[in-house]
């Protein structure tokens, strides 16, 4: 048997809530909610987790899973609790951006190292086809506001990324060029294009057939475009 061992320390994922404001096509929201003993973590829960992160010297934290992190009205207090005991931990978060719409939530986002904002299209019609009930203009404006606030305060973090999942209804050259142009205008650090197999009928065959080789550079995500004015 093993006499000496070290608990996992490289990274861990924490889901502060399993609730979400959207109804994405491939998301089994009802099943997710049924498997959770509670729908959201309390501040006391997060303080305990913060202590554990500190004790184990966890290096990075993915602060999201199957819910929308900004669904929580207490997210600033949650992240502050984590940062209070773990000032150097790298915190990553993924959001659909729609609820990143108040000063408190924008301040919370500035406690992160990286934030990925998922908007799957460059128009309301395109984004809403998969991300049901999304609000493209609101998500885009929130993303723009976050960039402006970070820059206004002279901060280098968080890195702000527009995540764009590719489907056969949002992958035309015209739509992709529009998204890159909007990303540049918003001032985000990069926009990334992610192929997916779900739902099967939505697969981007343009990507599968190699039609994206002239878009940015290859990465584990798919393709990504780093914007020169932010590098």
């Amino acid at each position: 048997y093993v006499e000496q061992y070290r608990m996992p320390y490289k990274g861990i994922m924490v889901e502060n809530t399993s609730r979400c404001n959207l109804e994405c096509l491939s998301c089994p929201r009802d099943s997710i909610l049924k498997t959770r003993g509670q729908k959201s973590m309390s501040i006391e829960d997060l303080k305990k987790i913060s202590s554990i992160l500190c004790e184990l010297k966890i290096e990075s934290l993915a602060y999201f899973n199957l819910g929308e992190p900004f669904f929580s009205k207490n997210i600033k207090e949650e992240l502050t609790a984590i940062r209070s005991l773990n000032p150097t931990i790298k915190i990553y978060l993924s959001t659909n951006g729609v609820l990143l719409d108040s000063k408190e939530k924008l301040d919370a986002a500035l406690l992160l190292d990286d934030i990925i904002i998922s908007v799957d299209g460059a128009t309301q019609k395109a984004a809403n086809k998969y991300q049901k009930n999304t609000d493209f203009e609101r998500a885009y404006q929130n993303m723009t506001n976050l960039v402006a606030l970070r820059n206004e305060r002279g901060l280098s973090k968080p890195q702000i990324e527009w995540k764009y999942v590719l489907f056969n209804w949002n992958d035309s050259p015209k739509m992709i060029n529009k998204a890159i142009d909007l990303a540049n205008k918003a001032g985000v650090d990069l926009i990334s294009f992610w192929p997916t197999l779900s739902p099967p009928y939505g697969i981007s065959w343009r990507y599968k057939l190699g039609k994206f080789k002239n878009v940015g550079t290859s990465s584990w995500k798919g393709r990504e475009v780093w914007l020169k004015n932010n590098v």
Side-chain angles (χ1 to χ4, degrees), residues 33-186:
L33 293 174
K34 287 178 181 177
T35 63
R36 303 297 192 266
Q38 61 188 61
K39 305 301 185 293
S40 300
M41 288 191 181
S42 67
I43 295 299
E44 290 306 312
D45 291 332
L46 267 301
K47 288 180 178 179
K48 291 177 183 177
I49 288 173
S50 181
S51 295
I52 294 172
L53 295 174
C54 180
E55 179 183 345
L56 297 180
K57 295 180 172 60
I58 300 294
E59 295 178 2
S60 67
L61 169 64
Y63 199 69
F64 65 95
N65 188 19
L66 299 177
E68 165 53 51
F70 287 99
F71 196 96
S72 171
K73 296 179 180 179
N74 301 315
I75 189 166
K76 183 180 179 182
E77 190 175 356
E78 295 167 8
L79 291 173
T80 299
I82 291 172
R83 278 285 183 219
S84 66
L85 296 180
N86 303 274
T88 62
I89 193 172
K90 293 183 178 179
I91 307 179
Y92 307 81
L93 183 149
S94 180
T95 173
N96 59 56
V98 177
L99 300 181
L100 185 55
D101 58 357
S102 69
K103 182 182 183 302
E104 185 171 8
K105 290 181 178 180
L106 288 169
D107 284 340
L110 294 181
L111 294 170
L112 304 167
D113 291 276
D114 289 86
I115 182 168
I116 299 172
I117 302 175
S118 297
V119 184
D120 302 334
T123 65
Q124 172 64 24
K125 182 178 179 180
N128 192 64
K129 188 155 185 177
Y130 181 81
Q131 294 176 296
K132 297 295 185 182
N133 299 326
T134 193
D135 185 329
F136 173 80
E137 292 296 338
R138 187 174 172 185
Y140 179 76
Q141 189 59 56
N142 292 342
M143 180 164 56
T144 303
N145 291 344
L146 178 60
V147 173
L149 183 61
R150 179 194 65 179
N151 295 347
E152 177 186 313
R153 295 187 182 178
L155 302 175
S156 60
K157 297 178 182 179
Q159 176 178 283
I160 302 171
E161 176 179 350
W162 178 348
K163 176 182 177 180
Y164 188 115
V165 179
L166 291 168
F167 301 100
N168 54 39
W169 54 76
N170 70 2
D171 65 351
S172 69
K174 181 178 180 180
M175 184 73 72
I176 297 303
N177 288 335
K178 181 175 182 177
I180 294 171
D181 182 55
L182 287 172
N184 196 44
K185 288 178 179 177

Side-chain angles (χ1 to χ4, degrees), residues 15 17-20 27 29 32 36 64-68:
E15 180 184 80
T17 180
S18 58
R19 299 181 185 277
C20 187
C27 179
R29 183 61 45 194
I32 292 169
R36 303 297 192 266
F64 65 95
N65 188 19
L66 299 177
E68 165 53 51

